[in-house]
Amino acid sequence: MGKGQLLQLILLHTAWEMGSGQLHYTVPEESQHGTFVGRIAQDLGLEVGELLPRMFRVESQGDGDYFKVNEQNGILFVNSRVDREELCGKSPLCSIHLEVIVDKPLSIFHVEVEVKDINDNAPIFSASKQSLSVAESMLPSTRFPLKAASDADIGSNAQLKYKLNSTDYFVVEEKTNDQHSISLVLVLNKPLDREKISVHNVLLTATDAGHPELTGTVHLEITVMDANDNAPVFNQSVYRVKLLENVTDGTLVIQPTAVDLDEGTNKEISYSFSNSVSSNLFTIHSDTGEIRVKGKVDFEDTSVYNIEIEAKDKGSPPLSGHCTILIEILDINDNAPEMSLKPMLVPVPEDSSPGVVVALISIIDRDSGVNGQVSCSLLPTGLPFKLVSTFKNYYSLVLAEPVDREQVAEFSLVVLAKDQGAPSLSASSSLVVPISDVNDNAPAFAQPSYTVFVKENNPPGAHIFTMSASDPDMAENALISYWIDEKLWPLSSYISVHSESGKVYALQPLDYEELKLLEFQVSAKDAGLPSLCSNVTVQVFVVDENDNAPTLTGPEEGSILLVVPAMAGYMVGKIHALDADSGYNAWLRYELHELTSGPWRVGLYSGEIITTRALDEAEGSSSQNLLVLVKDHGKPPRSVTTTLSVSLVVNTQVVHVDAGLPRMGGSPRPLVDKVNVYLIIAICSVSSLFLLAIILYVAQRCQCQPKQAIVYGPGTATLVCASEVGSWSYSNRHSHILAGVSGEAGAKNDLMVFSPNIPVFSENGEVGNMKELAPDSSVQVSH
């Protein structure tokens, strides 16, 4: 190793690359094992004592274990021989990349060791001997091409200079063309004389510019020939040709022409390649000099070809002329873009924010110029995605707009890459982007509220209604469960809802006389995270059945009625009865039993006992029994009977009787004439009340606020019922109402109006999908 190399080794430095944090060292090639490279631990800011505990190690990115680190002192040294020519060839920059890894905590450092070239390769000629034939008639300055030497080193170590020894007839020159290609020529320095020297043996030496200088030699054997003293001459020393890539085999490239001033066979010329570089891609016709394409010419492989052509005559000795063919390959658009698409966020959650990266796209086009310029687009248009250029030919597929899985569950898109060549070439890649569900939809009922009619005395556990809510989400986000707050007593003792099917059950028989309305909220909740919920109000109206017979309130069974002789129409007494039912079921009528005889009749709806003719004293000899039947209008009707005794008072004394009896000797009451008047007044009153109730009910439903709680309390319901003959009766009785009304815990008065057309119910007590009810229905739902 010379002093210069030793100085370079001693002054070996390290530097951080700007912006990358990479440690850089240099070392000469062919350095011996153990040669110091750098204090890597110190340069990385690591203590020597922590190298072993932190598992300090060096990994090479390529083959070969060229460097190692002494873990005792943190010094990077040469481990094995590094041959720059073997590692990097003729590349001007030769580097070995190392990765330094330490644990606890994990850190990774990048180290670049640049291998410097040394002059370790001597110039080499392709053959140890070159033979030339030179006519003695050649004039000075005639030039003969030689095969130059090659040097595997680079830079000044590969810069060669040539010299000849032991001759004054020839000199050697180097010629550089505009493509920086060096040609070596032998120049005739003075005229030759075959008679003096027929063969010149010359040693050609090639010396490089390294330190120390290395040399290579070749023996030149120059034979001086007589006669043929004119060599072929090309009309140009350099021919320039432009050729499109991918031309077909046999395409004519150029036809260089040489001229020989001799005659006969000395004038006949044969053409050939003087170098072997182009023989694989081109052919030359030996007689005409036509150069044609033989293989595939690809611009992406080589853009310029430098071909040396020799024209040799057939004289003896043969003479030759030379020229250079420079073929420039023109690029055509023969490479379509190559696309790589890497999904990053697939599927895309439907709550993703615009700007999230869905996929990364990289595009490569091996052509050059406009043929290699690529534009990228997204098809079809109108999708909620867009392409964002992050670097040359690098794109990100990002979400441009919010997406909703319930509207579109997945998107199929095509990324199209198109170059600017003519004709344009393109590549495409398809991507299906599914949208994943999030729980963003609460269950929804088809109606804001439901009204259900249930006949009283239902069997325990009867199914009275089915709730149904829908959720457009999927999987567990659409799995709905139904529930009622069971803590709200006493609602839980009356009603239950199945959590999965939404079926509403009556847990016990309902009694209209005790409970007329159940109003509660059913909640539907999905299984998403977080769970979403919605409520619906359900009103269950208990429909009365004729399960109570009329009861008599006066007079008592067997009571005696006293009557004085009077004319027809005289009121003897009045029967009072009540029915715990409502409507038709509580509408009573009074009749005399068929076994009863005498001048009596009873008011059909008033219960008043009236004489049908004048009585005389002869009929007062004995009492008469009246059997009165009190019957309601239910189906089937229920009834009760009572027996009263009527006695005729023969004297004229005025007798005052108890409640319900007429005065003795009083004038007759024309009750029969007043019945029609009463009926007209009743019908008008009830019709007005009915119309008012309808208006109040509609106004209440329009102004109804969401109910927050369920309360329990008593209330009085007024039932207004029309008779078959146009007369009316009223039944006011104590009732209980369970209702979900926020802020009302006290009593509540309700006016409940029923038309004579009683709803029809089914036998099984179900209402199917809110459709029109079939005859004999037991449950009616009002929408």
Side-chain angles (χ1 to χ4, degrees), residues 673-688 725-728 730:
D673 296 335
K674 298 180 181 180
V675 169
N676 292 335
V677 176
Y678 293 155
L679 288 177
I680 293 174
I681 295 174
I683 291 174
C684 294
S685 301
V686 171
S687 300
S688 301
V725 297
S727 62
W728 299 77
Y730 301 86

Side-chain angles (χ1 to χ4, degrees), residues 222-345:
I222 305 171
T223 303
V224 181
M225 304 298 295
D226 199 13
N228 187 23
D229 55 354
N230 288 287
V233 178
F234 287 94
N235 55 4
Q236 293 178 220
S237 61
V238 177
Y239 293 87
R240 300 179 183 275
V241 182
K242 292 184 178 181
L243 182 66
L244 290 174
E245 66 173 328
N246 296 336
V247 294
T248 59
D249 285 355
T251 299
L252 177 65
V253 179
I254 193 174
Q255 184 178 1
T257 303
V259 178
D260 195 317
L261 299 178
D262 293 325
E263 297 292 336
T265 58
N266 294 332
K267 189 178 182 178
E268 295 177 4
I269 300 174
S270 175
Y271 299 90
S272 62
F273 293 125
S274 59
N275 57 352
S276 59
V277 176
S278 306
S279 60
N280 295 328
L281 293 176
F282 303 98
T283 61
I284 187 170
H285 195 282
S286 60
D287 295 332
T288 63
E290 290 181 347
I291 300 176
R292 294 182 179 274
V293 176
K294 182 176 74 171
K296 180 181 179 181
V297 180
D298 193 350
F299 172 85
E300 285 70 39
D301 291 339
T302 305
S303 60
V304 176
Y305 291 93
N306 190 341
I307 304 175
E308 298 289 336
I309 305 297
E310 180 183 46
K312 183 184 291 185
D313 61 27
K314 297 181 179 181
S316 182
L319 301 178
S320 60
H322 299 79
C323 72
T324 301
I325 309 294
L326 293 179
I327 303 176
E328 179 184 357
I329 307 301
L330 301 180
D331 183 44
I332 64 173
N333 194 24
D334 61 337
N335 290 283
E338 299 175 6
M339 181 185 301
S340 173
L341 191 150
K342 181 180 181 182
M344 299 296 293
L345 184 63

Side-chain angles (χ1 to χ4, degrees), residues 494-507:
Y494 287 96
I495 295 295
S496 174
V497 61
H498 193 275
S499 62
E500 295 181 1
S501 65
K503 291 184 176 181
V504 181
Y505 297 94
L507 300 180

Side-chain angles (χ1 to χ4, degrees), residues 61 131 214 230 259 271 364 382 491 501 552 579 592 665 685 710:
Q61 293 186 0
S131 298
L214 299 179
N230 288 287
V259 178
Y271 299 90
I364 299 175
L491 180 63
S501 65
L552 294 171
D579 195 313
L592 288 177
S685 301
I710 296 179

